[in-house]
Structures are given as structure tokens and as C-alpha cells.
């Protein structure tokens, strides 16, 4: 009515059918929406459910908020996620009802979108480099347990512990305390204070790669010495106060890791590619390396599942991608 001064006359049942058709289009992916109704390639589960023009009309007017209630940009209380706030909050609440796995990880996901939006991000190492960044907590099975959409600098106040630590603590807030959960994350999040806080206040053991400037001055063997010793060489330190182990492992290059529950032993063997001899060689692998490599891929697995059923038809409306 606001846009065209015409009543849409949408019923709840028709809305359900519209959403179902949208989901079906993520399973049978055609290059264009209209192809689902064209002769010769007509897809009856879609075409028999709703007419083409009605679907396109509903898709262009799809809305899940009342724009008249939105606080304008620049004023106190403005919400960048107002367009999807009610759906976003309901979605997160339902994710928290799933029984959590013991082993979980936190990483970034990207919702692909190249249109105009104030909090669009670019992450070069992601399969979809442009889009909306989402911090995600997922289990080793790929099941997602909580998310947080990143809406840019200044959207959330950052504590003295840093942005990465704050994100982790918000995402684990609803995890049951002292139930022996194990959490993995990369060097964007990892810090000695975070690992200590998770263990003492939440009862969560954790492990992650860590940047060399976050190791509280722990002096480990130099890169040159470890390179001379060869692949699989290791050095480590244990901080008594925080009960956190910091490990440096040399593979093709040095890798720093920190954990509250594992370190060097037991050591096993792994197959690694040697570019000089052009064949696989056996390298000593530490427990902390084995656990991290095995358990860190939950969010990547969730990404893979989403990619299988993503709606590829482009939309100028950003919340149609969410």
C-alpha cells in the first residue's frame, strides 16, 4: 500500500507457499526465476503452487518489518538490522534450543551480496569475498548454534580485551557452564586472557592459533633454529598463572598455538608434502596441532551445507540474501 497504493491481499497460507517456492528454487537451481514457468522446462512443484506474476510481485514487496517504526540513521537508537531484527532474533533463539555438541568452533561466514549496504565487507580468503560478515559458532558436525551479524565499527562497544574476545564471549553466553565443552578459534580471536577466562568463568576448554605479539612475552626458539632442526620441531612454554600452554611448531613455516587443555604430547605422525623431494614425508605432529586441525572446520562445513542449497538468483534487496 505504501509503495503502489494497492492492497496485496496476502493470506498466511499464500505466504507459506511463497516461502516454500523460494526454498524449492534453492534445490533446483535455474538461471532465471521465470524459467520455472516456461514451456519445455516447466518445474511443476513451483509452477503449480503459484503463478509466475504473483510470485514475482510478492518477491518485490517482501518485507518483515514496519518501516514507519524505524529510527532514522544518525539518531540515537538507530538499528542497522531493523529490516530483519524480529526474524534475526527469532532465528537465534531457535538455534539456541539445539542440544550443543562437545566440540565447537568459532569463525567468520560470508553471506554473498555485492549490492549497496552500509556494512558490506570484503574478505579475500572466503569463497564469496563480498557480502555480509557473520560470526558463527558451529559444532564439528556443521550444525550452527549461534550467529552474530557484523554491522561495522562502532556498532558494539569494544572492551579492553579486544573485539575478538568480545565476540567469543557473546557467542558462548548461552552455553551451559562447566560441562566440558571444547572451543576452537583462529588467531583473530585467540589470546591468553580469553583462554583463561573461558576456563575459569565458563568451564570451557579452548584451543587456537595465536599471534606472536599476544603471547605475553613468552620467549620461544627462533624461526632460524627451528628450520635447521627440520619439520616437526617444537618449543613450548606453560604459564602457571593462567594455566595456558603456548606451543611453537615448525612445518613449512612456524605455527603458534595456545590451549588450556592440550599441548605437545602425545605425538603422532602425519603425512606432509615435501616440495624439494616432491613426495609425502612423515612429520611429527603434536596433540595441539592434531586437535586444532580436526576440530576447527565446523563453520567451514556449515558453509558447504549452505552453498549446496543457496538461492543463487540475485536480488537488489539485501535482506532477501540473509
Amino acid at each position: 500500500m505504501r509503495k503502489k497504493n494497492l492492497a496485496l491481499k496476502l493470506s498466511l497460507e499464500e505466504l507459506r507457499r511463497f516461502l516454500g517456492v523460494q526454498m524449492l528454487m534453492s534445490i533446483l537451481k535455474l538461471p532465471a526465476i521465470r524459467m520455472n514457468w516456461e514451456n519445455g522446462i516447466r518445474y511443476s512443484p513451483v509452477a503449480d503452487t503459484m503463478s509466475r506474476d504473483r510470485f514475482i510481485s510478492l518477491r518485490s514487496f517482501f518485507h518483515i518489518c514496519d518501516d514507519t517504526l524505524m529510527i532514522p540513521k544518525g539518531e540515537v537508537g538507530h538499528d542497522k538490522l531493523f529490516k530483519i531484527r524480529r526474524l534475526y532474533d527469532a532465528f537465534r533463539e531457535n538455534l539456541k534450543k539445539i542440544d550443543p555438541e562437545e566440540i565447537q568452533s568459532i569463525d567468520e561466514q560470508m553471506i554473498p551480496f555485492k549490492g549497496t549496504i552500509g556494512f558490506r565487507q570484503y574478505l579475500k580468503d572466503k569463497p564469496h569475498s563480498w557480502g555480509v560478515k557473520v560470526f558463527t559458532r558451529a559444532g564439528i558436525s556443521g550444525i550452527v548454534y549461534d550467529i552474530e551479524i557484523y554491522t561495522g565499527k562502532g556498532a558494539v562497544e569494544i572492551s579492553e580485551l579486544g573485539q575478538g574476545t568480545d565476540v567469543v564471549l557473546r557467542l558462548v553466553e548461552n552455553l551451559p557452564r562447566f560441562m566440558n565443552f571444547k572451543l576452537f578459534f583462529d588467531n583473530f580471536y585467540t589470546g591468553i586472557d580469553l583462554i583463561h577466562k573461558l576456563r575459569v568463568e565458563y568451564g570451557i576448554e579452548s584451543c587456537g592459533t595465536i599471534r606472536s605479539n599476544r603471547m605475553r612475552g613468552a620467549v620461544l626458539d627462533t624461526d632460524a633454529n627451528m628450520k635447521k632442526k627440520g619439520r616437526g620441531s617444537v618449543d613450548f612454554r606453560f604459564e602457571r598463572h593462567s594455566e595456558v600452554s603456548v606451543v611453537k611448531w615448525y612445518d613449512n613455516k612456524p605455527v603458534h598455538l595456545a590451549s588450556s587443555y592440550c599441548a605437545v604430547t602425545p605425538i603422532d605422525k602425519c603425512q606432509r608434502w615435501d616440495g624439494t623431494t616432491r613426495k609425502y614425508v612423515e612429520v611429527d605432529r603434536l596433540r595441539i596441532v592434531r586437535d586444532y586441525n580436526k576440530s576447527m572446520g565446523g563453520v567451514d562445513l556449515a558453509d558447504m551445507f549452505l552453498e549446496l542449497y543457496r538461492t543463487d538468483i540475485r536480488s537488489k534487496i539485501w535482506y532477501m540474501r540473509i
Side-chain angles (χ1 to χ4, degrees):
M1 287 294 290
R2 286 198 306 269
K3 199 169 185 179
K4 297 284 187 180
N5 199 31
L6 294 171
L8 201 58
K9 297 180 181 178
L10 177 69
S11 68
L12 181 59
E13 179 57 32
E14 191 179 23
L15 176 60
R16 288 195 178 112
R17 281 189 272 125
F18 166 76
L19 295 174
V21 166
Q22 188 78 25
M23 292 177 187
L24 280 173
M25 288 180 177
S26 71
I27 298 173
L28 182 68
K29 300 182 181 182
L30 296 176
I33 289 177
R34 295 174 182 269
M35 294 177 69
N36 288 277
W37 288 269
E38 289 183 3
N39 293 331
I41 56 172
R42 184 177 186 273
Y43 184 44
S44 58
V46 168
D48 293 343
T49 301
M50 183 174 290
S51 70
R52 179 197 64 190
D53 291 346
R54 182 60 172 172
F55 177 79
I56 292 173
S57 176
L58 292 180
R59 196 169 190 265
S60 65
F61 293 117
F62 182 77
H63 234 58
I64 49 176
C65 69
D66 183 354
D67 283 344
T68 62
L69 301 177
M70 183 168 63
I71 299 174
K73 186 177 180 180
E75 294 188 11
V76 178
H78 172 69
D79 183 6
K80 293 182 180 180
L81 296 179
F82 178 81
K83 294 280 190 180
I84 61 165
R85 174 57 63 185
R86 292 180 66 187
L87 181 63
Y88 174 53
D89 290 344
F91 179 66
R92 290 189 69 187
E93 286 304 313
N94 277 291
L95 288 180
K96 294 169 186 176
K97 294 176 183 177
I98 306 171
D99 291 334
E101 303 167 63
E102 177 187 350
I103 298 175
Q104 301 184 25
S105 59
I106 290 177
D107 204 354
E108 298 92 28
Q109 286 182 298
M110 289 292 284
I111 300 171
F113 184 73
K114 289 188 176 181
T116 303
I117 183 174
F119 47 90
R120 187 184 63 175
Q121 298 288 306
Y122 174 75
L123 296 179
K124 66 176 182 178
D125 295 328
K126 293 295 181 180
H128 297 282
S129 300
W130 289 98
V132 178
K133 182 165 74 171
V134 182
F135 297 114
T136 302
R137 173 168 60 86
I140 195 172
S141 66
I143 294 175
V144 173
Y145 296 106
D146 200 4
I147 63 170
E148 180 181 297
I149 297 176
Y150 177 67
T151 56
K153 292 182 179 179
V156 179
E157 186 176 346
I158 300 175
S159 74
E160 60 182 12
L161 295 175
Q163 182 189 20
T165 296
D166 291 347
V167 168
V168 172
L169 296 180
R170 286 196 296 269
L171 288 176
V172 302
E173 189 61 39
N174 290 281
L175 263 180
R177 305 290 176 95
F178 298 96
M179 295 293 288
N180 198 35
F181 289 108
K182 293 179 176 61
L183 189 65
F184 295 80
F185 29 72
D186 62 25
N187 61 21
F188 173 75
Y189 309 94
T190 310
I192 303 297
D193 290 330
L194 171 61
I195 294 174
H196 177 66
K197 190 178 184 72
L198 285 173
R199 185 177 208 186
V200 173
E201 297 184 18
Y202 294 80
I204 298 173
E205 304 291 2
S206 56
C207 174
T209 53
I210 187 171
R211 298 173 185 176
S212 57
N213 61 352
R214 295 184 181 177
M215 299 193 301
R216 285 187 176 171
V219 179
L220 299 171
D221 203 356
T222 64
D223 295 355
N225 284 341
M226 296 189 78
K227 187 174 183 179
K228 289 179 183 177
K229 295 176 184 177
R231 295 175 70 171
S233 58
V234 60
D235 193 16
F236 73 98
R237 296 290 183 273
F238 178 74
E239 188 180 66
R240 294 183 182 276
H241 171 69
S242 61
E243 297 184 324
V244 173
S245 298
V246 177
V247 178
K248 184 175 182 178
W249 181 64
Y250 194 87
D251 186 21
N252 288 319
K253 58 182 181 179
V255 180
H256 297 89
L257 302 104
S259 175
S260 60
Y261 82 97
C262 64
V264 175
T265 57
I267 297 175
D268 63 2
K269 299 287 186 180
C270 65
Q271 297 287 324
R272 307 292 287 174
W273 178 255
D274 187 348
T276 304
T277 60
R278 300 195 62 80
K279 64 179 182 180
Y280 284 98
V281 296
E282 282 196 343
V283 176
D284 288 340
R285 180 176 61 177
L286 319 179
R287 182 188 175 184
I288 192 172
V289 175
R290 183 194 66 199
D291 283 12
Y292 179 81
N293 289 340
K294 180 181 177 181
S295 307
M296 185 55 197
V299 177
D300 290 335
L301 188 57
D303 262 336
M304 187 202 74
F305 292 148
L306 285 171
E307 195 62 33
L308 293 175
Y309 301 104
R310 192 181 297 280
T311 303
D312 293 328
I313 298 169
R314 293 187 179 184
S315 170
K316 293 181 180 179
I317 306 172
W318 66 269
Y319 50 84
M320 287 294 289
R321 299 298 296 177
I322 301 288

